[in-house]
Amino acid sequence: MHRRLLDYGITVLGLLASGVWGLMGPLHSLLMRLRWKRFRMYQFKTRPDDVFIVTYPKSGTTWMQMIAWQLKSGGSLDFRHIEDVVPFIDRCGPAELPRLEALESPRFFKSHLSYEDVPPGARYIYVVRNLKDVAVSYYYHHLLMEDFRGGLDVFVKMLVNRRTNGGSWARHVLSWLEHRNAPNVLFLSYEEMQADLPGTIRRVAQFSGIALDEERLPLLVEQCSVAFMKKLEARFDPRLSRRGNFVRKGETGEGLRELDATLQAALAAEEQQVLDRARVLDSSGALERLLRGEAPTNGAATEAEPQKQQKMG
Ligand code: PPS
């Protein structure tokens, strides 16, 4: 009954969207969301050893996709496009099911979904990046991919008013923050990945149940570096690119350099929501520092992982 109603609603909206209303962004997003819900609820089945790489846009998704594939394949560069081997599940529909089914376990998927919307019953690597750097990276993404013509100030306004397709950064991060200690969640930051890439690769291997050949680690580190990935740009670009590079700078601190005091202040309320919650969840201040974009210096964040592995069997 629910399914028939959902199908009926989607069909009606589809007809509207293909007409004049199709030009309306919100209707289009709603339609995409409904399509995805239908796919997730009735067709796509997770396996317990699936690993979803989940992020708010521009937080290191592609980088983590490459780390996952390098681990799974033992350093193979024999792939045409990263989404062939680590599919972007939010964009998949029924036609992709045979391809998804055929992937060898552990399957890795990319997603930008909130905790509530992601398919349940799997493992999840969540990567968070500080909002100022996300804002700058997302701005260049809009110039490159979305035909955006405004300045950084216009874009920041769009971001805080939740007019980008990523929605609210705070809401996204908060939905995952609450579950960061769950046995099937590995919560990482872009900045700690940058501070310790070999350590990150080890953590992802352990969490994903992949035996890491330590002798191969230097090769994997090299192939996951921003310089190396830039050389393979076409394999990471979502194929919409018209101007500039998708693997852009890969640096931390651009937000502080590119955003003036007014723009930084405009992002402050969004950031503060997350920092306030982090302070409640972790009185030591470590989580708050992580969310501010400071990499941990003592590796304390890794301590919980052996336990996670035991619980996962
Ligand atoms: S997307 O479109 O949401 O999937 O973008 P996403 O991949 O999440 O984020 C893109 C940013 O990640 C940077 N990147 C890297 N940083 C460090 N090391 C490596 N290997 C790497 N690969 C990609 C990419 O350059 C984007 O950040 P900015 O700040 O724009 O350079």
Side-chain angles (χ1 to χ4, degrees):
M1 179 63 183
H2 280 125
R3 182 178 184 170
R4 215 175 298 150
L5 269 178
L6 194 59
D7 277 344
Y8 180 69
I10 290 168
T11 309
V12 171
L13 284 172
L15 287 171
L16 292 173
S18 63
V20 180
W21 288 13
L23 299 173
M24 290 169 64
L27 181 64
H28 181 257
S29 324
L30 176 66
L31 188 65
M32 290 293 115
R33 208 174 147 83
L34 285 172
R35 275 209 183 122
W36 162 251
K37 273 208 187 306
R38 178 174 57 173
F39 179 58
R40 191 193 70 153
M41 283 165 72
Y42 303 115
Q43 287 156 321
F44 179 72
K45 294 278 171 287
T46 50
R47 300 174 191 162
D49 60 358
D50 283 344
V51 183
F52 286 74
I53 295 163
V54 192
T55 61
Y56 184 82
K58 312 318 289 180
S59 303
T61 335
T62 318
W63 188 12
M64 186 54 82
Q65 283 176 281
M66 182 61 165
I67 291 173
W69 173 247
Q70 287 300 292
L71 276 169
K72 182 172 170 174
S73 69
S76 167
L77 296 177
D78 188 17
F79 64 97
R80 195 179 54 97
H81 192 276
I82 195 69
E83 286 180 12
D84 293 345
V85 288
V86 183
F88 187 7
I89 194 74
D90 314 0
R91 297 254 169 95
C92 290
E96 261 91 16
L97 269 180
R99 173 169 90 86
L100 304 181
E101 277 300 317
L103 291 171
E104 219 172 272
S105 289
R107 299 183 299 182
F108 286 89
F109 300 109
K110 159 183 170 172
S111 175
H112 289 314
L113 294 167
S114 65
Y115 183 84
E116 292 71 31
D117 284 339
V118 85
R123 298 180 279 195
Y124 308 90
I125 298 175
Y126 187 77
V127 184
V128 64
R129 187 181 191 187
N130 79 83
L131 179 59
K132 295 184 190 75
D133 288 354
V134 165
V136 173
S137 182
Y138 213 0
Y139 167 65
Y140 285 106
H141 176 99
H142 271 66
L143 292 182
L144 187 66
M145 310 277 183
E146 316 275 355
D147 273 337
F148 181 72
R149 291 281 185 271
L152 196 44
D153 53 338
V154 178
F155 180 76
V156 166
K157 211 175 279 172
M158 267 170 64
L159 189 66
V160 294
N161 289 331
R162 300 162 184 191
R163 295 254 164 78
T164 64
N165 52 12
S168 160
W169 175 84
R171 197 182 295 165
H172 200 279
V173 177
L174 286 170
S175 83
W176 283 95
L177 198 56
E178 299 298 320
H179 304 276
R180 75 197 191 289
N181 288 331
N184 61 341
V185 174
L186 177 61
F187 193 92
L188 295 172
S189 75
Y190 178 95
E191 294 78 15
E192 65 182 323
M193 286 167 65
Q194 247 180 352
D196 182 10
L197 184 52
T200 300
I201 294 175
R202 284 196 190 96
R203 293 171 72 183
V204 172
Q206 187 188 28
F207 178 74
S208 309
I210 294 177
L212 172 66
D213 176 357
E214 279 288 329
E215 282 189 5
R216 277 192 173 250
L217 186 57
L219 176 78
L220 303 198
V221 170
E222 159 68 10
Q223 293 185 172
C224 293
S225 69
V226 72
F228 192 90
M229 285 178 61
K230 259 179 181 290
K231 285 192 255 166
L232 300 181
E233 171 82 24
R235 302 193 199 185
F236 302 111
D237 193 301
R239 291 169 244 179
L240 297 167
S241 158
R242 286 161 216 137
R243 300 171 293 274
N245 296 88
F246 182 74
V247 181
R248 210 176 55 88
K249 287 197 174 171
E251 289 172 6
T252 290
E254 267 223 301
L256 290 173
R257 289 189 289 274
E258 290 222 13
L259 301 167
D260 62 22
T262 313
L263 296 185
Q264 288 187 32
L267 296 172
E270 188 84 0
E271 278 173 322
Q272 204 53 47
Q273 283 182 54
V274 169
L275 298 178
D276 287 348
R277 186 65 191 149
R279 211 166 303 140
V280 172
L281 292 172
D282 173 16
S283 57
S284 80
L287 186 59
E288 195 184 335
R289 285 194 294 278
L290 190 87
L291 294 165
R292 282 186 193 281
E294 294 169 31
T297 47
N298 58 4
T302 62
E303 274 169 22
E305 277 154 36
Q307 267 183 346
K308 286 191 181 190
Q309 268 310 99
Q310 278 165 19
K311 279 192 194 163
M312 299 207 42

